[in-house]
Amino acid sequence: MYITISFLTRVVFFSWSAKNIDFNLIYILKAFLTGFVFDTSIGLSFLLLYAIYLLLFPKKWIGSLADKIVTCLYLSVVLIIIFFSLIAEFPFWDEFGVRFNFIAVDYLIYTYEVVSNINQSYPLPIIIIVLIALVISTFMLLHKTGVLRNTFSDKRSIRIRAFYTFPILLTAFLLLRTMKNEQADFSDNPAINEVGKNGVFSFFAAFRSNELDYDMFYPKLNEKKAYAVLKKNILQKNQHYTSAQWDDINRVAQGGKESRPNIILIAIESFSADFLKAFGNQENLTHHYDSLADQSIFFTNLYATGTRTVRGMEALTLCVPPTPGNSIVRRPDNQHIFSIATILRQKHYHPLFIYGGDGYFDNMNNFFGGQGFDIVDRNRGNPLSDKIDTRRYTIPDKEVSFENAWGICDEDLYKQAIKYADQSFAANTPFFQFVMTTSNHKPYTFPTGRINLPQGDRNAAVKYTDYALGKFISDAQKKLWFKNTVFVIVADHCASSAGKWEINIDKHHIPAIIYNLPHPPQRIDRLVSQIDLMPTLFGYLNWNYTSDLYGRDINQTETGEERAFIGNYRTLGLLKQNLFTQIDDRKRIVQFSVSQKDESMLETENKNEELISETISYYQTASERFKNNKMKEK
């Protein structure tokens, strides 16, 4: 039964992703054959405990009440797991275009947000009813076909039972020992690879390997060469190194007459560039952002480092490439890392992290608190780590007009930003706020009466997000601190990432603006990485500072040296001069030429060795520096 249902699920996913699949008959057959082996290994796993029970259970008690209770309970649990995992795979595939991975593992940790989101996004009572109905229907089928009757009347000897049991145990053991999730990654087309996987198997594979060691899995350079290549590439025209030590990347950036305005950095959830009119969208979803862009420094060719919020946070605060495995935001021992907060504190700013949910989610509070940010969040009772000595302020119920699984609506969140800006201004303290929005996230719900689109729709959430942003800027303009406040408004990542390639460059294109800077409006069409945004702002402010950041001021970067870092959990890449150099955890190196027209990719035969060395140097040194605490503040 399990193998049959898994096969049908695979057929559905294959049809669902047809536009991203290369129709190579050999690959398709291999995907279904590989999938069959995965399904068999998981199916046999469901039998293991019961097979041992059947082998050892005394013959005279077969068919007793105890036997019936144990059998029915075991079967019920197995059926619930089978049906629930298969049902859950469909929305997961819809959102991410893959089988269960480390994101699904993360979801187990944050039960409040995830269960609430499921409840608000899907008809949970109906799902439960369907689940129960499937289990009952299976029992009825087994009863009608006589399987249950035979189960409780067949009193074979242990010798005969062993004849069936040991092959099951041996086959399951061999398959589970030899099968690796990576065996499904036999082609360069991720869609067909994912079709060939099994959701349950993939889940446990992700659970086991939630961290990836760069030294073990990725291509490397000699360490001194890696740092030599890195130091050559991160140095700007207005910088010099503070020492000749081969692995010291600390450098001084020389500015001019400094300005120190208040800074509000707004990270908008899942805000793809293609939502904007400037990039061809004709649905008028982002009227306010489009208007602000015309008055701002507008980055038109900027790319997110990853596909999750924590990657955006990592890029905007630590200004480092996306190292393999989990984001540094979610890793242990990530306190007191050299970050933009280090520079801001040197300039006497008061840094705050303002989030509409509970910042316990994705370890955000511990990360930001560990960098010296005070925390403003919903605080549902999850305490900060004892290592964090910053203050935490709770958003009270009376200041919330609308809330869903992920947090308060953007309007309420921006009111918190204004509230704490008022307090800092009254105390004559320059402030920096990192404001993380949540309204543009499934279940896509928000206060009624704001826009002309229905609840629960992605485009509606985008339009509401834009509406709330426009209202915030309008309210801020009435404040005394507005004239001396700069707003950096950027996406954390795009709305989706699934596509034809392992990394789909067009699914990382995000907008960013620097608004209210005493500078004429400007379009920056040069290639910019998300890690470059804050160093570029510091350049506009003419700041003098020391830096351990990997990010660069785009205005101090030589023409032709622009690059963007793009990665996912396992695969890492560097986009430069229309070439995308990609490395992965099987030490493979692939280069693609990237079309300027639609960002489609074509694998190249002749490799650019200089770009390969540059790519490896960035990721290798970033991983080594975090692992060996070299990123820590000195």
Side-chain angles (χ1 to χ4, degrees):
M1 182 192 71
Y2 177 74
I3 291 173
T4 301
I5 296 174
S6 297
F7 170 78
L8 294 175
T9 301
R10 187 166 288 108
V11 171
V12 172
F13 289 164
F14 178 83
S15 303
W16 206 341
S17 301
K19 65 179 180 180
N20 295 321
I21 288 176
D22 294 328
F23 281 84
N24 181 310
L25 182 60
I26 294 176
Y27 284 170
I28 293 171
L29 291 174
K30 191 169 183 178
F32 276 83
L33 179 61
T34 304
F36 173 78
V37 179
F38 278 124
D39 298 343
T40 302
S41 64
I42 294 299
L44 288 174
S45 299
F46 289 132
L47 291 179
L48 285 180
L49 289 177
Y50 192 66
I52 296 171
Y53 166 81
L54 287 179
L55 176 65
L56 302 178
F57 195 71
K59 180 178 177 181
K60 62 180 180 179
W61 290 348
I62 292 175
S64 66
L65 179 61
D67 183 26
K68 291 179 179 179
I69 290 174
V70 170
T71 297
C72 291
L73 280 177
Y74 186 90
L75 181 57
S76 296
V77 170
V78 168
L79 290 174
I80 288 171
I81 294 172
I82 288 173
F83 291 132
F84 180 79
S85 64
L86 291 171
I87 290 172
E89 276 206 81
F90 284 89
F92 195 85
W93 186 279
D94 180 44
E95 185 166 358
F96 300 106
V98 296
R99 298 282 190 167
F100 290 141
N101 59 14
F102 76 104
I103 297 174
V105 176
D106 285 351
Y107 278 6
L108 277 184
I109 301 170
Y110 305 106
T111 52
Y112 176 86
E113 288 83 358
V114 174
V115 172
S116 298
N117 182 41
I118 292 171
N119 189 40
Q120 294 171 12
S121 303
Y122 305 101
L124 195 56
I126 295 177
I127 291 174
I128 293 172
I129 291 171
V130 169
L131 196 60
I132 294 172
L134 287 170
V135 173
I136 293 174
S137 298
T138 304
F139 269 99
M140 291 175 63
L141 179 65
L142 294 174
H143 175 74
K144 187 174 181 179
T145 55
V147 172
L148 288 180
R149 183 177 62 253
N150 293 339
T151 298
F152 298 126
S153 62
D154 193 332
K155 299 187 178 184
R156 306 185 191 205
S157 66
I158 288 182
R159 183 178 61 81
I160 297 176
R161 281 185 264 166
F163 178 79
Y164 292 99
T165 302
F166 285 116
I168 289 174
L169 297 179
L170 180 62
T171 306
F173 175 79
L174 290 175
L175 286 176
L176 293 174
R177 287 282 295 176
T178 58
M179 292 299 293
K180 306 293 181 185
N181 215 38
E182 293 77 14
Q183 290 168 335
D185 297 327
F186 53 81
S187 80
D188 293 326
N189 183 251
I192 195 64
N193 293 346
E194 293 296 327
V195 165
K197 293 179 182 178
N198 174 282
V200 175
F201 196 98
S202 294
F203 179 89
F204 284 102
F207 185 83
R208 290 194 304 269
S209 60
N210 216 13
E211 297 289 344
L212 288 175
D213 183 84
Y214 189 95
D215 289 346
M216 183 179 297
F217 294 107
Y218 289 84
K220 292 181 61 181
L221 300 173
N222 171 275
E223 194 168 8
K224 286 192 174 182
K225 179 181 178 181
Y227 271 97
V229 174
L230 172 74
K231 293 180 74 170
K232 174 187 173 184
N233 282 291
I234 61 172
L235 193 68
Q236 303 174 178
K237 290 186 291 186
N238 66 330
Q239 292 180 342
H240 64 267
Y241 285 106
T242 58
S243 84
Q245 174 67 24
W246 63 272
D247 62 347
D248 185 356
I249 67 169
N250 187 263
R251 55 209 187 277
V252 174
Q254 296 175 316
K257 184 179 179 181
E258 294 189 353
S259 60
R260 297 188 185 180
N262 307 306
I263 303 169
I264 298 179
L265 168 60
I266 301 171
I268 301 180
E269 171 70 39
S270 304
F271 198 63
S272 304
D274 57 16
F275 292 139
L276 271 64
K277 182 179 179 181
F279 302 107
N281 193 295
Q282 300 298 314
E283 298 182 77
N284 195 31
L285 300 176
T286 57
H287 166 74
H288 297 287
Y289 197 99
D290 291 330
S291 177
L292 291 172
D294 292 337
Q295 307 167 53
S296 305
I297 309 296
F298 183 22
F299 297 84
T300 64
N301 197 19
L302 185 143
Y303 288 83
T305 60
T307 59
R308 298 199 66 201
T309 296
V310 286
R311 281 298 186 193
M313 290 176 168
E314 174 188 82
L316 293 167
T317 55
L318 302 184
C319 303
V320 295
T323 51
N326 267 323
S327 163
I328 291 174
V329 174
R330 297 202 66 251
R331 295 191 198 178
D333 195 25
N334 62 5
Q335 295 85 27
H336 309 298
I337 295 176
F338 191 100
S339 68
I340 61 168
T342 311
I343 299 167
L344 290 162
R345 289 197 305 274
Q346 292 171 2
K347 306 294 182 184
H348 307 296
Y349 279 77
H350 176 207
L352 293 102
F353 171 60
I354 303 176
Y355 178 60
D358 188 331
Y360 166 78
F361 183 79
D362 265 345
N363 201 47
M364 291 186 284
N365 279 353
N366 284 337
F367 171 75
F368 280 97
Q371 315 318 317
F373 285 76
D374 282 346
I375 308 296
V376 179
D377 75 334
R378 200 67 175 100
N379 192 355
R380 298 190 180 106
N382 299 298
L384 289 176
S385 166
D386 293 337
K387 298 178 182 178
I388 307 302
D389 55 10
T390 55
R391 290 167 293 182
R392 186 184 191 186
Y393 304 99
T394 300
I395 301 171
D397 291 343
K398 65 182 181 180
E399 296 178 14
V400 176
S401 65
F402 183 91
E403 188 170 18
N404 64 20
W406 296 108
I408 62 178
C409 66
D410 287 359
E411 288 173 86
D412 291 342
L413 181 68
Y414 289 136
K415 287 177 183 177
Q416 295 298 314
I418 287 177
K419 170 183 171 180
Y420 286 94
D422 287 344
Q423 292 180 8
S424 295
F425 180 72
N428 199 29
T429 303
F431 58 84
F432 174 87
Q433 296 182 353
F434 191 116
V435 181
M436 183 69 233
T437 76
T438 59
S439 288
N440 191 29
H441 193 298
K442 198 174 264 190
Y444 310 131
T445 54
F446 43 83
T448 57
R450 304 303 198 271
I451 62 169
N452 59 354
L453 293 176
Q455 301 267 346
D457 177 74
R458 162 69 78 179
N459 281 355
V462 172
K463 193 164 188 176
Y464 169 74
T465 294
D466 180 71
Y467 163 84
L469 175 64
K471 188 173 186 302
F472 169 60
I473 296 297
S474 177
D475 292 342
Q477 287 170 344
K478 301 168 187 174
K479 297 293 183 177
L480 293 176
W481 46 260
F482 173 79
K483 186 176 180 180
N484 190 40
T485 302
V486 171
F487 300 80
V488 181
I489 310 171
V490 59
D492 60 348
H493 58 83
C494 280
S496 63
S497 60
K500 198 165 186 175
W501 296 274
E502 184 70 17
I503 292 179
N504 297 274
I505 292 174
D506 61 321
K507 303 296 186 181
H508 290 257
H509 186 201
I510 58 172
I513 60 175
I514 302 175
Y515 169 69
N516 208 35
L517 191 69
H519 188 285
Q522 178 185 5
R523 282 176 63 107
I524 295 182
D525 298 323
R526 299 173 70 187
L527 178 65
V528 180
S529 176
Q530 198 175 25
I531 75 171
D532 299 327
L533 188 59
M534 292 307 294
T536 299
L537 172 65
F538 298 157
Y540 279 113
L541 301 179
N542 292 314
W543 280 7
N544 300 279
Y545 62 97
T546 59
S547 176
D548 275 2
L549 309 177
Y550 280 64
R552 302 187 305 201
D553 176 357
I554 188 62
N555 295 312
Q556 295 291 340
T557 301
E558 298 282 357
T559 301
E561 292 302 310
E562 305 91 341
R563 79 284 178 271
F565 301 96
I566 301 174
N568 59 28
Y569 178 55
R570 294 168 48 193
T571 305
L572 313 169
L574 178 76
L575 176 62
K576 186 175 183 180
Q577 299 174 351
N578 294 323
L579 270 179
F580 185 65
T581 305
Q582 179 177 293
I583 60 177
D584 66 20
D585 56 352
R586 286 182 284 171
K587 299 187 178 181
R588 294 185 306 180
I589 302 170
V590 186
Q591 284 186 320
F592 300 90
S593 61
V594 181
S595 168
Q596 290 184 303
K597 180 180 179 181
D598 60 2
E599 295 174 322
S600 61
M601 302 194 298
L602 180 66
E603 186 173 346
T604 60
E605 294 182 4
N606 299 319
K607 289 185 169 56
N608 184 318
E609 296 297 333
E610 185 177 348
L611 278 181
I612 290 173
S613 293
E614 184 176 344
T615 303
I616 294 172
S617 73
Y618 276 115
Y619 288 108
Q620 178 180 331
T621 58
S623 299
E624 188 269 336
R625 285 172 57 75
F626 178 76
K627 181 179 179 180
N628 295 319
N629 291 322
K630 293 180 182 179
M631 285 189 181
K632 297 284 188 178
E633 295 174 339
K634 298 177 178 64

Short mmCIF file of all heavy atoms in Angstrom, two decimals, residues 532-558:
data_model
loop_
_atom_site.label_atom_id
_atom_site.label_comp_id
_atom_site.label_asym_id
_atom_site.label_seq_id
_atom_site.Cartn_x
_atom_site.Cartn_y
_atom_site.Cartn_z
N ASP A 532 26.46 43.62 0.34
CA ASP A 532 27.08 44.91 0.03
C ASP A 532 26.22 46.10 0.43
O ASP A 532 26.70 47.25 0.39
CB ASP A 532 27.38 45.01 -1.47
CG ASP A 532 28.33 43.95 -1.97
OD1 ASP A 532 29.22 43.55 -1.20
OD2 ASP A 532 28.18 43.52 -3.13
N LEU A 533 24.97 45.87 0.79
CA LEU A 533 24.03 46.98 0.97
C LEU A 533 24.46 47.91 2.10
O LEU A 533 24.51 49.14 1.94
CB LEU A 533 22.62 46.43 1.21
CG LEU A 533 21.50 47.48 1.22
CD1 LEU A 533 21.44 48.25 -0.09
CD2 LEU A 533 20.16 46.81 1.52
N MET A 534 24.75 47.35 3.28
CA MET A 534 25.09 48.21 4.41
C MET A 534 26.47 48.87 4.25
O MET A 534 26.61 50.07 4.56
CB MET A 534 25.01 47.40 5.71
CG MET A 534 23.59 46.98 6.07
SD MET A 534 22.41 48.35 6.11
CE MET A 534 23.03 49.29 7.50
N PRO A 535 27.52 48.18 3.76
CA PRO A 535 28.77 48.89 3.48
C PRO A 535 28.60 50.04 2.48
O PRO A 535 29.26 51.07 2.60
CB PRO A 535 29.68 47.79 2.92
CG PRO A 535 29.18 46.53 3.57
CD PRO A 535 27.69 46.71 3.62
N THR A 536 27.67 49.86 1.52
CA THR A 536 27.41 50.93 0.57
C THR A 536 26.75 52.12 1.27
O THR A 536 27.08 53.28 1.00
CB THR A 536 26.52 50.43 -0.58
OG1 THR A 536 27.20 49.37 -1.27
CG2 THR A 536 26.21 51.54 -1.57
N LEU A 537 25.83 51.85 2.19
CA LEU A 537 25.24 52.93 2.98
C LEU A 537 26.31 53.67 3.77
O LEU A 537 26.32 54.92 3.80
CB LEU A 537 24.18 52.38 3.93
CG LEU A 537 23.62 53.38 4.95
CD1 LEU A 537 22.85 54.50 4.24
CD2 LEU A 537 22.75 52.70 5.98
N PHE A 538 27.21 52.92 4.42
CA PHE A 538 28.27 53.56 5.19
C PHE A 538 29.12 54.47 4.29
O PHE A 538 29.61 55.52 4.74
CB PHE A 538 29.16 52.52 5.86
CG PHE A 538 28.45 51.63 6.86
CD1 PHE A 538 28.96 50.38 7.19
CD2 PHE A 538 27.27 52.05 7.47
CE1 PHE A 538 28.30 49.57 8.12
CE2 PHE A 538 26.62 51.24 8.39
CZ PHE A 538 27.14 49.99 8.72
N GLY A 539 29.27 54.06 3.04
CA GLY A 539 30.00 54.89 2.09
C GLY A 539 29.28 56.19 1.81
O GLY A 539 29.90 57.26 1.75
N TYR A 540 27.97 56.12 1.62
CA TYR A 540 27.20 57.34 1.38
C TYR A 540 27.27 58.28 2.59
O TYR A 540 27.18 59.51 2.44
CB TYR A 540 25.74 57.01 1.09
CG TYR A 540 25.48 56.60 -0.35
CD1 TYR A 540 25.10 55.30 -0.66
CD2 TYR A 540 25.62 57.51 -1.39
CE1 TYR A 540 24.86 54.92 -1.97
CE2 TYR A 540 25.39 57.14 -2.71
CZ TYR A 540 25.00 55.84 -2.99
OH TYR A 540 24.77 55.47 -4.29
N LEU A 541 27.43 57.72 3.78
CA LEU A 541 27.51 58.53 5.01
C LEU A 541 28.94 59.00 5.29
O LEU A 541 29.17 59.69 6.28
CB LEU A 541 26.98 57.72 6.20
CG LEU A 541 25.52 57.24 6.10
CD1 LEU A 541 25.13 56.43 7.34
CD2 LEU A 541 24.56 58.42 5.91
N ASN A 542 29.88 58.61 4.40
CA ASN A 542 31.29 59.02 4.52
C ASN A 542 31.93 58.55 5.82
O ASN A 542 32.78 59.23 6.39
CB ASN A 542 31.42 60.56 4.42
CG ASN A 542 31.09 61.08 3.04
OD1 ASN A 542 31.55 60.53 2.04
ND2 ASN A 542 30.27 62.12 2.99
N TRP A 543 31.57 57.36 6.26
CA TRP A 543 32.08 56.90 7.54
C TRP A 543 33.52 56.42 7.42
O TRP A 543 33.92 55.76 6.44
CB TRP A 543 31.21 55.76 8.08
CG TRP A 543 29.94 56.25 8.73
CD1 TRP A 543 29.48 57.54 8.76
CD2 TRP A 543 28.99 55.45 9.42
NE1 TRP A 543 28.29 57.60 9.44
CE2 TRP A 543 27.96 56.34 9.87
CE3 TRP A 543 28.88 54.11 9.73
CZ2 TRP A 543 26.86 55.90 10.58
CZ3 TRP A 543 27.78 53.67 10.43
CH2 TRP A 543 26.78 54.55 10.87
N ASN A 544 34.29 56.70 8.46
CA ASN A 544 35.61 56.12 8.66
C ASN A 544 35.44 54.98 9.66
O ASN A 544 34.94 55.21 10.77
CB ASN A 544 36.57 57.17 9.22
CG ASN A 544 36.74 58.36 8.30
OD1 ASN A 544 37.50 58.31 7.34
ND2 ASN A 544 36.03 59.45 8.59
N TYR A 545 35.87 53.79 9.32
CA TYR A 545 35.68 52.67 10.24
C TYR A 545 36.61 51.51 9.86
O TYR A 545 37.12 51.45 8.74
CB TYR A 545 34.22 52.19 10.23
CG TYR A 545 33.72 51.65 8.90
CD1 TYR A 545 33.71 50.28 8.63
CD2 TYR A 545 33.26 52.52 7.90
CE1 TYR A 545 33.25 49.79 7.42
CE2 TYR A 545 32.80 52.04 6.68
CZ TYR A 545 32.80 50.68 6.44
OH TYR A 545 32.35 50.19 5.24
N THR A 546 36.82 50.63 10.83
CA THR A 546 37.55 49.40 10.54
C THR A 546 36.53 48.31 10.23
O THR A 546 35.42 48.30 10.77
CB THR A 546 38.42 48.97 11.73
OG1 THR A 546 37.59 48.78 12.87
CG2 THR A 546 39.47 50.02 12.02
N SER A 547 36.91 47.37 9.38
CA SER A 547 35.94 46.38 8.92
C SER A 547 36.56 45.00 8.80
O SER A 547 37.68 44.85 8.31
CB SER A 547 35.39 46.79 7.55
OG SER A 547 34.51 45.80 7.04
N ASP A 548 35.79 44.00 9.25
CA ASP A 548 36.07 42.59 8.97
C ASP A 548 35.01 42.02 8.04
O ASP A 548 34.93 40.81 7.85
CB ASP A 548 36.08 41.77 10.27
CG ASP A 548 37.45 41.82 10.96
OD1 ASP A 548 38.34 42.51 10.45
OD2 ASP A 548 37.61 41.17 12.00
N LEU A 549 34.16 42.88 7.49
CA LEU A 549 33.04 42.43 6.66
C LEU A 549 33.52 41.97 5.29
O LEU A 549 34.51 42.49 4.76
CB LEU A 549 32.03 43.56 6.49
CG LEU A 549 31.53 44.26 7.78
CD1 LEU A 549 30.59 45.40 7.42
CD2 LEU A 549 30.84 43.26 8.70
N TYR A 550 32.79 41.03 4.71
CA TYR A 550 33.06 40.61 3.34
C TYR A 550 32.37 41.54 2.34
O TYR A 550 32.72 41.58 1.17
CB TYR A 550 32.58 39.18 3.10
CG TYR A 550 33.51 38.11 3.62
CD1 TYR A 550 33.80 37.97 4.96
CD2 TYR A 550 34.11 37.20 2.73
CE1 TYR A 550 34.64 36.97 5.44
CE2 TYR A 550 34.96 36.19 3.19
CZ TYR A 550 35.22 36.09 4.55
OH TYR A 550 36.06 35.10 5.01
N GLY A 551 31.35 42.25 2.79
CA GLY A 551 30.62 43.15 1.91
C GLY A 551 31.45 44.35 1.51
O GLY A 551 32.35 44.79 2.25
N ARG A 552 31.15 44.92 0.32
CA ARG A 552 31.90 46.06 -0.20
C ARG A 552 30.95 47.20 -0.57
O ARG A 552 29.80 46.97 -0.94
CB ARG A 552 32.70 45.66 -1.45
CG ARG A 552 33.67 44.54 -1.25
CD ARG A 552 34.54 44.29 -2.47
NE ARG A 552 33.77 44.06 -3.69
CZ ARG A 552 34.26 43.43 -4.77
NH1 ARG A 552 35.49 42.99 -4.76
NH2 ARG A 552 33.51 43.26 -5.83
N ASP A 553 31.46 48.40 -0.49
CA ASP A 553 30.75 49.59 -0.97
C ASP A 553 30.79 49.55 -2.50
O ASP A 553 31.87 49.60 -3.10
CB ASP A 553 31.45 50.83 -0.42
CG ASP A 553 30.84 52.14 -0.94
OD1 ASP A 553 29.92 52.09 -1.78
OD2 ASP A 553 31.32 53.19 -0.50
N ILE A 554 29.63 49.44 -3.13
CA ILE A 554 29.60 49.30 -4.58
C ILE A 554 30.21 50.52 -5.27
O ILE A 554 30.80 50.40 -6.36
CB ILE A 554 28.15 49.06 -5.09
CG1 ILE A 554 28.15 48.71 -6.59
CG2 ILE A 554 27.26 50.25 -4.82
CD1 ILE A 554 28.88 47.44 -6.93
N ASN A 555 30.15 51.68 -4.63
CA ASN A 555 30.70 52.89 -5.25
C ASN A 555 32.22 52.96 -5.11
O ASN A 555 32.84 53.84 -5.72
CB ASN A 555 30.07 54.13 -4.61
CG ASN A 555 28.58 54.22 -4.91
OD1 ASN A 555 28.16 54.06 -6.05
ND2 ASN A 555 27.78 54.44 -3.88
N GLN A 556 32.81 52.07 -4.33
CA GLN A 556 34.27 51.99 -4.20
C GLN A 556 34.80 50.71 -4.85
O GLN A 556 35.93 50.30 -4.59
CB GLN A 556 34.67 52.04 -2.72
CG GLN A 556 34.33 53.34 -2.02
CD GLN A 556 35.18 54.51 -2.50
OE1 GLN A 556 36.25 54.33 -3.08
NE2 GLN A 556 34.68 55.72 -2.31
N THR A 557 33.98 50.07 -5.68
CA THR A 557 34.34 48.81 -6.32
C THR A 557 34.69 49.07 -7.79
O THR A 557 33.94 49.77 -8.50
CB THR A 557 33.18 47.81 -6.23
OG1 THR A 557 32.88 47.57 -4.85
CG2 THR A 557 33.54 46.49 -6.90
N GLU A 558 35.81 48.53 -8.23
CA GLU A 558 36.24 48.72 -9.61
C GLU A 558 35.22 48.13 -10.59
O GLU A 558 34.61 47.08 -10.31
CB GLU A 558 37.59 48.04 -9.85
CG GLU A 558 38.73 48.59 -9.00
CD GLU A 558 39.28 49.91 -9.53
OE1 GLU A 558 38.81 50.37 -10.59
OE2 GLU A 558 40.17 50.48 -8.86
#
